[in-house]
Amino acid sequence: MKKVAILGAGSFLAKNLIKYCVDNEYDYEFFLYGRKPVPKSDNIHYVRVDFTDIHSVNCIDFSVDIIMIFMGKTGTVNGFEEYAEFVQVNEIALLNVLKKYVEKKSKALIIYPSSRLLFKSDEKAGVNEDSARECKSIYAVTKHAAEN
């Protein structure tokens, strides 16, 4: 059984990924971390974490096989209007996680999915390659243009 840590587990893409893996009976044990609680079940463990606080990041189990990073704040306009929060959530939080990853000498594979900036959120329909696009940053516009 692979041990998978999901940071930002309450996000739209993370919830859909977890549901897909559980529904398809993947042999994963999930360690979920985030600001928003998620439903617990067998092989799913949840811890509330403030990624912008280096001391809070200490509670993450870095001895897993895979770390998937879904935390982040999106929106090009919001990035200018709320730049301090964007820097905290998108840069400081990520740097805190990476600093602890190095300190703990983790060998986990880090996956940082960029698609969260590209797909429109749809809680009912889920998300797949055919989902509606809603480019939420300059990066997303560039990614979409390069792939199509």
Side-chain angles (χ1 to χ4, degrees):
M1 176 176 292
K2 290 229 183 247
K3 292 170 58 177
V4 180
I6 297 186
L7 313 186
S11 72
F12 174 74
L13 285 176
K15 288 188 292 187
N16 277 280
L17 174 69
I18 295 162
K19 181 181 181 331
Y20 180 84
C21 291
V22 169
D23 289 351
N24 289 284
E25 300 178 4
Y26 280 50
D27 196 21
Y28 294 154
E29 181 175 11
F30 288 106
F31 296 84
L32 309 181
Y33 303 93
R35 295 181 309 154
K36 304 173 192 171
V38 295
K40 291 183 181 181
S41 66
D42 294 340
N43 296 329
I44 295 181
H45 315 280
Y46 175 79
V47 176
R48 188 177 173 118
V49 174
D50 176 359
F51 300 105
T52 64
D53 176 8
I54 193 74
H55 302 293
S56 183
V57 173
N58 275 325
C59 71
I60 296 172
D61 180 358
F62 287 93
S63 68
V64 297
D65 300 300
I66 300 168
I67 298 171
M68 301 186 92
I69 300 176
F70 287 97
M71 61 192 191
K73 195 158 179 56
T74 58
T76 303
V77 174
N78 293 341
F80 291 104
E81 294 172 354
E82 303 167 11
Y83 65 88
E85 186 177 358
F86 266 62
V87 169
Q88 278 294 112
V89 173
N90 293 336
E91 295 178 32
I92 301 300
L94 179 60
L95 289 169
N96 285 342
V97 169
L98 295 176
K99 177 179 168 77
K100 290 299 176 184
Y101 175 89
V102 170
E103 283 178 8
K104 295 187 184 263
K105 298 181 171 121
S106 179
K107 300 293 183 201
L109 172 69
I110 294 178
I111 299 174
Y112 189 83
S114 58
S115 296
R116 71 180 179 83
L117 301 172
L118 190 60
F119 291 107
K120 182 175 179 141
S121 297
D122 186 341
E123 294 287 338
K124 292 182 179 153
V127 86
N128 63 45
E129 289 295 319
D130 298 320
S131 293
R133 305 296 200 273
E134 181 181 62
C135 297
K136 300 175 186 173
S137 71
I138 294 168
Y139 168 79
V141 171
T142 305
K143 177 178 173 55
H144 180 66
E147 293 177 357
N148 292 294

